[in-house]
RNA sequence: GUGGUUGUAGCUCAGCUGGUUAGAGCGCUGGAUUGUGGUUCCAGAGGUCGCCGGUUCGAAACCGGUCUUCCACCCCA
């Protein structure tokens, strides 16, 4: 006997209700992307390994799903290598392709490859699944969707301003209020590292700093010490841990800390511009905050760093992130092409909307009305009407079998179909229809025109 | 990748320190109700207790492995 079928860890099936709700989110995003002037592209679900490997740090390489070569994949591996059991060395010989890990790197590859066809600045959006060989948790899957909007070929900070507005617009349209858009700037982080004389430990330093709100000042300092950052340097960070107040106040205290760093001051002025501009324009529902400890994200960010947190009442990691990367296409041989982009985590946004009950009731309605089947003669009468209604763009259906009415009504009820139409012998004679509202139980007798306007 | 946790009917879960034929609620099927669903009543179907192995006279329960779930770390959407 075959054992019960199953799906791989961290993957999911979606039932009709779930797909409909996911599509609702996709629609909101797609419309917003379009309204902001982004154009859609798609890239393959798998890339050449060399395109992906090494782009996300050591941790990232581990999380990339590798695809085994076809055919005799051990052919290129020598007996010595096999005996040594050196997985890392063997991997590159038995696997030349890998599943997409995010949408940004494939996009960079796309830009370089199609640079002569693209008109810059190029604004593209991309909604596709990505895969990570991570250990699943709540809101963390091995297959999930990212929805990215990026602009390449412009260094203007107006892009950052627009992306903040795009976040605000999407979350507002999803009725998700009080999202927090946290912003930082990589130049500020570099500036701090410079000021404390630990430039070469930038990554270790930022990773530790990023944990501040989670583990507290002392543990952050411990981690910095563990990574070899000097006591004197940690001492100089003192003011950083006490940065508080409004966004502009935070910027001011940073200014005194970073006065001696040209890079740091550049980061501050960038942040200041974005902040002031947004302040002028105003956001609808999101809050824009400065978070100097925000350092997550990939090592390729060079300017702005974004992260969006869900409203405080739901416990969920970030539901979006992004930033500016001045040199991403450089990896693929195209210099001086600055890009900035943001990403939405569809699956996490879904969980948040579900938890807060924010899906509109109407998204679940699939079929508007169901015709009861009274037999072939009546079904023929119904089918002509069904065709007419479908021409009008109304989703209607005929119950396929001639069974007891109770069963047919029960079917409509369970499927959440709001109307049932009875068209039996008496209705046929008077060329009418009995329309039953399943919510109120009310029934009325209508002719075809009335039926159409009632269902529209 | 490290540490922990979970798995019993379609779903949510009981099942005491191992002891006959494994239970409940909801759901499902049929009937009460041959042109009226959601309520009520009656009847019924459905489980190799995640999987493999071990301990035992006897395992859903104890042990080991494995898969899965969720959680923390790492990292991230």
């Amino acid at each position: 006997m075959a054992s019960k079928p199953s799906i791989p860890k961290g993957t999911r099936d979606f039932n009709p209700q779930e797909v409909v709700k996911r599509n609702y989110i996709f629609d909101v995003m797609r419309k917003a992307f379009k309204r902001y002037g982004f154009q859609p592209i798609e890239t393959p679900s798998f890339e050449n390994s060399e395109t992906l490997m090494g782009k996300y740090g050591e941790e990232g390489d581990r999380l990339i799903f590798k695809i085994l070569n076809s055919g005799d994949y051990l052919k290129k591996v020598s007996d010595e290598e096999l005996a040594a059991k050196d997985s890392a060395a063997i991997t590159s010989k038995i696997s030349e392709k890998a599943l997409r890990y995010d949408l940004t790197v494939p996009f960079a590859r796309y830009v370089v490859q199609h640079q002569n066809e693209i008109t810059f600045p190029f604004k593209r959006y991309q909604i596709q699944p990505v895969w990570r060989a991570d250990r699943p948790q709540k809101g963390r899957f091995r297959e999930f969707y990212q929805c990215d909007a990026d602009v390449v070929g412009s260094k203007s900070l107006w892009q950052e301003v627009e992306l903040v507005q795009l976040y605000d617009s999407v979350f507002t349209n999803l009725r998700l209020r009080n999202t927090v858009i946290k912003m930082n700037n990589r130049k500020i982080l570099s500036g701090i590292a410079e000021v404390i004389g630990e430039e070469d430990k930038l990554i270790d330093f930022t990773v530790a700093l990023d944990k501040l709100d989670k583990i507290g000042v002392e543990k952050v300092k411990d981690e910095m010490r563990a990574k070899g950052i000097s006591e004197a340097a940690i001492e100089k960070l003192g003011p950083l841990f006490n940065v508080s107040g409004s966004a502009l106040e935070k910027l001011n205290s940073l200014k005194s800390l970073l006065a001696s760093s040209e890079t740091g001051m550049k980061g501050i002025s960038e942040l200041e511009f974005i902040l002031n501009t947004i302040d002028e324009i105003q956001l609808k529902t999101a809050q824009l905050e400065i978070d100097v400890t925000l350092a997550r994200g990939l090592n390729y960010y060079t300017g702005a760093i974004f992260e969006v947190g869900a409203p405080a009442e739901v416990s969920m990691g970030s539901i979006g992130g992004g930033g500016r990367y001045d040199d991403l296409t450089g990896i693929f041989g195209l210099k001086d092409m600055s890009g900035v982009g943001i990403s939405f985590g569809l699956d996490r946004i879904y969980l948040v909307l579900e938890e807060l009950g924010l899906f509109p009731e109407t998204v679940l309605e699939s079929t508007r009305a169901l015709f009861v089947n009274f037999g072939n003669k009546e079904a023929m009468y119904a089918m002509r009407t069904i065709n007419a209604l479908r021409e009008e763009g109304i989703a209607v259906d005929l119950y396929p079998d001639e069974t007891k009415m109770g069963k047919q009504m029960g079917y409509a009820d369970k499927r959440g179909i709001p109307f049932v139409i009875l068209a039996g012998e008496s209705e046929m004679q008077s060329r009418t229809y009995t329309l039953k509202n399943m919510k109120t139980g009310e029934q009325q007798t209508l002719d075809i025109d009335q039926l159409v306007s009632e269902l529209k």
Side-chain angles (χ1 to χ4, degrees), chain A residues 97-228:
Chain A
K97 298 173 286 304
L99 288 179
R100 189 205 288 137
Y101 176 88
D102 74 353
L103 301 179
T104 308
V105 169
F107 174 54
R109 191 225 80 222
Y110 176 96
V111 169
V112 175
Q113 208 176 316
H114 299 273
Q115 49 185 292
N116 296 322
E117 312 151 27
I118 295 173
T119 308
F120 295 99
F122 179 41
K123 299 174 77 171
R124 80 83 232 234
Y125 73 88
Q126 190 170 356
I127 299 177
Q128 288 190 286
V130 301
W131 295 268
R132 295 184 187 177
D134 210 349
R135 194 177 283 206
Q137 274 180 47
K138 184 183 182 182
R140 171 180 287 191
F141 308 98
R142 299 176 107 180
E143 177 183 60
F144 62 97
Y145 268 79
Q146 286 192 335
C147 313
D148 277 27
D150 292 77
V151 190
V152 282
S154 164
K155 289 184 172 157
S156 166
L157 290 172
W158 286 100
Q159 308 294 2
E160 273 86 338
V161 170
E162 273 209 310
L163 290 172
V164 170
Q165 293 187 86
L166 176 56
Y167 264 140
D168 180 49
S169 172
V170 167
F171 291 128
T172 302
N173 291 341
L174 288 171
R175 312 199 295 190
L176 184 59
R177 306 188 143 258
N178 301 320
T179 48
V180 179
I181 303 171
K182 287 185 275 189
M183 257 190 78
N184 194 8
N185 194 297
R186 190 52 170 254
K187 296 188 178 85
I188 291 178
L189 294 169
S190 300
I192 296 170
E194 188 185 322
V195 166
I196 64 171
E198 296 281 1
E199 283 166 278
D200 52 332
K201 294 215 171 60
L202 178 63
I203 298 283
D204 287 335
F205 161 74
T206 51
V207 166
L209 186 61
D210 186 47
K211 294 177 187 164
L212 182 61
D213 56 344
K214 208 167 179 181
I215 62 177
V217 179
E218 287 314 311
K219 293 214 168 133
V220 168
K221 287 182 179 172
D222 286 346
E223 182 164 333
M224 286 182 180
R225 283 183 201 106
K227 294 289 183 186

Side-chain angles (χ1 to χ4, degrees), chain A residues 80 101 154 158 172 194 230 259 277 306 317 329 364 371 454-455:
Chain A
E80 294 77 46
Y101 176 88
S154 164
W158 286 100
T172 302
E194 188 185 322
S230 77
T277 310
F306 301 108
T329 57
L364 284 177
F371 278 77
E454 204 57 40
L455 291 177

Side-chain angles (χ1 to χ4, degrees), chain A residues 405-423:
Chain A
M405 224 174 130
K407 196 177 162 79
Q408 302 194 36
M409 298 288 274
Y411 175 80
D413 189 40
K414 259 174 255 173
R415 287 230 6 224
I417 297 173
F419 295 98
V420 166
I421 297 166
L422 307 177

Side-chain angles (χ1 to χ4, degrees), chain A residues 141-380:
Chain A
F141 308 98
R142 299 176 107 180
E143 177 183 60
F144 62 97
Y145 268 79
Q146 286 192 335
C147 313
D148 277 27
D150 292 77
V151 190
V152 282
S154 164
K155 289 184 172 157
S156 166
L157 290 172
W158 286 100
Q159 308 294 2
E160 273 86 338
V161 170
E162 273 209 310
L163 290 172
V164 170
Q165 293 187 86
L166 176 56
Y167 264 140
D168 180 49
S169 172
V170 167
F171 291 128
T172 302
N173 291 341
L174 288 171
R175 312 199 295 190
L176 184 59
R177 306 188 143 258
N178 301 320
T179 48
V180 179
I181 303 171
K182 287 185 275 189
M183 257 190 78
N184 194 8
N185 194 297
R186 190 52 170 254
K187 296 188 178 85
I188 291 178
L189 294 169
S190 300
I192 296 170
E194 188 185 322
V195 166
I196 64 171
E198 296 281 1
E199 283 166 278
D200 52 332
K201 294 215 171 60
L202 178 63
I203 298 283
D204 287 335
F205 161 74
T206 51
V207 166
L209 186 61
D210 186 47
K211 294 177 187 164
L212 182 61
D213 56 344
K214 208 167 179 181
I215 62 177
V217 179
E218 287 314 311
K219 293 214 168 133
V220 168
K221 287 182 179 172
D222 286 346
E223 182 164 333
M224 286 182 180
R225 283 183 201 106
K227 294 289 183 186
I229 293 169
S230 77
E231 201 61 45
I234 293 173
E235 192 62 38
K236 285 186 196 157
L237 286 175
L240 189 62
F241 295 124
N242 297 315
V243 171
S244 64
S246 72
L248 289 171
E249 283 164 9
K250 283 181 185 173
L251 277 185
N252 282 330
S253 37
L254 280 173
K255 272 182 197 165
S256 51
L257 184 69
L258 291 172
S260 64
S261 163
E262 199 187 319
T263 308
M265 292 308 283
K266 180 92 194 335
I268 286 179
S269 75
E270 288 183 13
L271 209 46
E272 204 166 27
F273 173 81
I274 299 164
L275 219 56
N276 285 331
T277 310
I278 291 291
D279 199 49
E280 185 90 7
I281 293 171
Q282 294 281 309
L283 296 179
K284 283 179 268 187
T285 59
Q287 294 167 41
L288 185 60
E289 286 181 4
I290 285 190
D291 182 353
V292 280
T293 71
L294 177 63
R296 330 184 83 179
L298 313 166
N299 352 28
Y300 48 68
Y301 290 142
T302 52
I305 302 174
F306 301 108
E307 180 171 295
V308 185
E313 64 260 40
V314 287
S315 69
M316 179 62 65
S318 57
I319 56 176
R324 182 171 282 275
Y325 34 88
D326 281 335
D327 200 33
L328 189 74
T329 57
I331 305 164
F332 299 114
L334 181 60
K335 300 285 176 205
D336 265 332
M337 188 61 82
S338 185
V340 59
I342 58 174
S343 179
F344 293 81
L346 178 275
D347 300 82
R348 286 188 177 177
I349 291 171
Y350 180 101
L351 291 172
V352 170
L353 293 186
E354 189 71 284
E355 195 167 331
L356 296 176
L358 295 179
F359 284 109
E361 245 173 72
T362 51
V363 304
L364 284 177
E365 182 182 314
S366 52
T367 302
R368 185 89 174 131
L370 179 77
F371 278 77
V372 170
N373 189 327
F374 288 110
N376 278 342
K377 218 172 68 186
E378 293 86 347
M380 182 56 79

